[in-house]
Every structure is written in structure tokens, then in C-alpha cells.
Amino acid sequence: MPSLYQTVGVSLGLLFTMMGGVSSLVDCTGRPDGAYDNGCNSYTICTGGVGVVVDCGPETAFNPASGQCDPWQTFPPPCGWSDCTGLVDALYPVYPDCKYFFTCQNELFIGAFPCNNPPDIGDLVFDQPRQVCNWDWAVPPPCGTAVPTALPRHLKNV
């Protein structure tokens, strides 16, 4: 059985393949030169309005403080290390805003991923019960704003 990391990696790979590849996830037009976050596994270097994607290697992630890929054990979430001690194999939200999630397998941190790509655009948050990214209005607190509603009395015993 494939690991969660392999499943997420294959799924993301298929998504980018179906999209026909992505030369730059960030529109560099009018942006100052520098490194811009694409999520945890890559970033875009903007130079003169042109963007180039840099992919992070194994066990590294984009560190906004350094503007490059660093070992994820050396900096905090959302892309850096999260403690998986005592957690079952699953995906977990990165609090407080839940716009990222991380993967634990065998009590080891596998990696973190954004719900929105690029991360600064979009209103998706991690829906832990469903194990997917979802609209904030459809996710219960603490990640979303959905208010549970009671079923009408006539539907409770159906």
C-alpha cells in the first residue's frame, strides 16, 4: 500500500501534468525582484517581471524567512516541522488559519502543503473531518465558519 506521501505526491504530479505544466505560479509582472511563496515545495524567483519556479528537494521546504528551500526541521510551520508524536496517520491543519495542512505517517512529519496555490490567494482551509481543502464557509470551527444546523424534527428518524 502506498504511503500518504506517495499518494499526495502522485496526486499533485498528476494535477500538474493535466494542467500542462506550470512555468510560474506567481505573476511577476510589476512585482519587485525576489522570492515568492508557491507553497511549501517550491517558490518563484521574480527578476525583471519574469518568474522562474524553483522546486525544493527532499526533506526541504520553502522558508519565507530565508527566501529559499531549507531543511524543514530548521524552521516552524506552516511549511516547517510539525510534531507528529502520538498522531495517527492522517492529514492535519496548521493552526491558526488552517490554510496549510501537514501529513503524519508512523508518527513522522512527512511534509506540509497549502490549500491555496499560490498560498496568498484563495479562501480554502483544511477540513480535517473530510481530509480535504474546502471553502471556509463549509468547514466547522476552528478552521472554518460553518455553523452546524440541526435537522428538522420530521427528518431525524428518516
Side-chain angles (χ1 to χ4, degrees), residues 14-140:
L14 289 172
L15 173 66
F16 285 114
T17 300
M18 291 184 324
M19 290 171 56
V22 178
S23 59
S24 178
L25 296 176
V26 174
D27 181 3
C28 293
T29 307
R31 288 191 186 233
D33 291 354
Y36 292 89
D37 186 3
N38 292 344
C40 297
N41 299 315
S42 69
Y43 62 98
T44 297
I45 296 176
C46 292
T47 307
V50 177
V52 176
V53 173
V54 176
D55 293 318
C56 297
E59 296 191 16
T60 67
F62 178 70
N63 181 352
S66 69
Q68 63 184 19
C69 297
D70 289 328
W72 49 254
Q73 303 94 326
T74 63
F75 61 99
C79 292
W81 181 80
S82 293
D83 187 7
C84 290
T85 305
L87 297 178
V88 299
D89 293 359
L91 309 175
Y92 295 90
V94 175
Y95 298 109
D97 65 6
C98 304
K99 291 191 178 271
Y100 287 78
F101 63 93
F102 64 96
T103 305
C104 291
Q105 185 175 17
N106 298 324
E107 295 190 12
L108 297 174
F109 173 78
I110 301 299
F113 306 91
C115 283
N116 302 285
N117 215 347
D120 59 345
I121 297 174
D123 295 323
L124 298 177
V125 296
F126 189 69
D127 185 337
Q128 189 170 7
R130 292 184 180 99
Q131 294 282 286
V132 297
C133 293
N134 203 344
W135 300 109
D136 66 347
W137 52 263
V139 178

